Amino acid sequence: MNKRIFLSAPHMGGNELKYIEKVFESNYIAPLGEYVNKFEESIRSYTGVDNALAVTSGTAAIHLALRILGVGKNDDVLASTFTFIGSVNAIIYQGANPVFIDSDKESWNMSPKLLNKYLLECEKKPKALIVTHLYGMSADIEKIADICKLHGVYLIEDAAESLGATFNGNHTGTFGDFGIYSFNGNKILTTSGGGMLVSSNENWIKKAMFYSTQAKESFIHYEHEEYGYNYRMSNVLAAIGVGQMEVVEDRVSKKREIFEWYKESLSDVKEIEFMPELDNSRGNRWLTAMTFEITDYNKIMKTLEDINVESRPLWKPMHMQPLFKNAKKYVDGTSENLYNHGLCVASSTTMTKDDVKMICDKIKENLD
Ligand SMILES: *Cc1c(COP(=O)(O)O)cnc(C)c1O
């Protein structure tokens, strides 16, 4: 049996262990230290954002953003329905109500048209919007940002999956009031677990730092006027992040190459469609995602499992989840249709062209 091929396995660049050793030598094992600053600096210089805060997860970063924007009990928060739960859990933490907006066919991400229509029609103005750049592909973000400005809705970009993706040359995560990245185990870069909150607003990031470290007022005796969280990233994990950031462009190129291999190997199959890439954007192709005409993709998944290759259905939209059966939604069937027809296929950056060919042969055997 061949070695298991994962959807997106961790892929160290080579220097991570060396940096961890430096952390151990300095004994700054926790909580803070120079690698946290270095990791934040590497995100700032790579994405061009002015302020960054390293935290324990992407979910924590979204939570901090909502708290700082004043999202609270009974507020409405718009969100992509076609996303992973980590994108929206923090809405519940804040006692707010999610309102799910559907995707469009052009991007598979949030439809600016539906968003605009909802905002024109809705009786209760939402406080904020969380838009996901799914599978590393940029949403129609300039339009979405303009709509948010027009309607006075704060914008949080969930770029958990899309580090390195750009729209009109600017990095996803830098268009909104806040952006977040994730360094969970299977993201394009990983610190085993971690996240980053970014914003052009320095005061907000300072406030986020305050909340992420138990909201301690500046007294030696630990005075508290507000409640906070224990969300700050450790120096050990940040050392991994610094090593990972050295290879971010290599990882993006490799992910994009893997996508091209899939596209080439399946070019003779008409009934397969790949997740689109909007004009003027560059996706990081975190996971190659595709739809089939058939809806019974379980047999494709099973055949791939037989050769020890991981695959997974496209995210089940949030408005279809039992957890959100009573949530408001503004949908037209697009994401439900994608979910019914689509799979993510193995996209680990250690894969070879032959791996992709082998997977594509299996897919082709199961298309009817
Ligand atoms: C992974 C992910 C998150 C959550 O990030 P964590 O670091 O795992 O908390 C949020 N949104 C999306 C779209 C994700 O893929």
Side-chain angles (χ1 to χ4, degrees), residues 97-100 318-319 321 323-330:
N97 304 313
V99 179
F100 296 114
M318 291 301 120
H319 73 273
Q321 300 287 354
L323 173 64
F324 295 122
K325 61 179 185 295
N326 298 321
K328 278 195 243 178
K329 58 184 185 227
Y330 206 65

Side-chain angles (χ1 to χ4, degrees), residues 136-153:
M137 309 308 289
S138 177
D140 204 348
I141 191 63
E142 284 185 352
K143 264 191 216 152
I144 289 170
D146 285 347
I147 294 168
C148 284
K149 274 214 184 77
L150 194 70
H151 292 270
V153 174

Side-chain angles (χ1 to χ4, degrees), residues 57-60 62 83-84 86-87 132 134 158 160-161 180 182-184 187 194-195 286 315:
S57 70
T59 309
I62 296 173
T83 191
F84 170 64
S87 190
T132 300
L134 205 65
D158 180 348
E161 301 173 359
I180 74 99
S182 167
F183 304 97
N184 201 355
K187 299 289 153 76
W286 171 54
W315 302 125

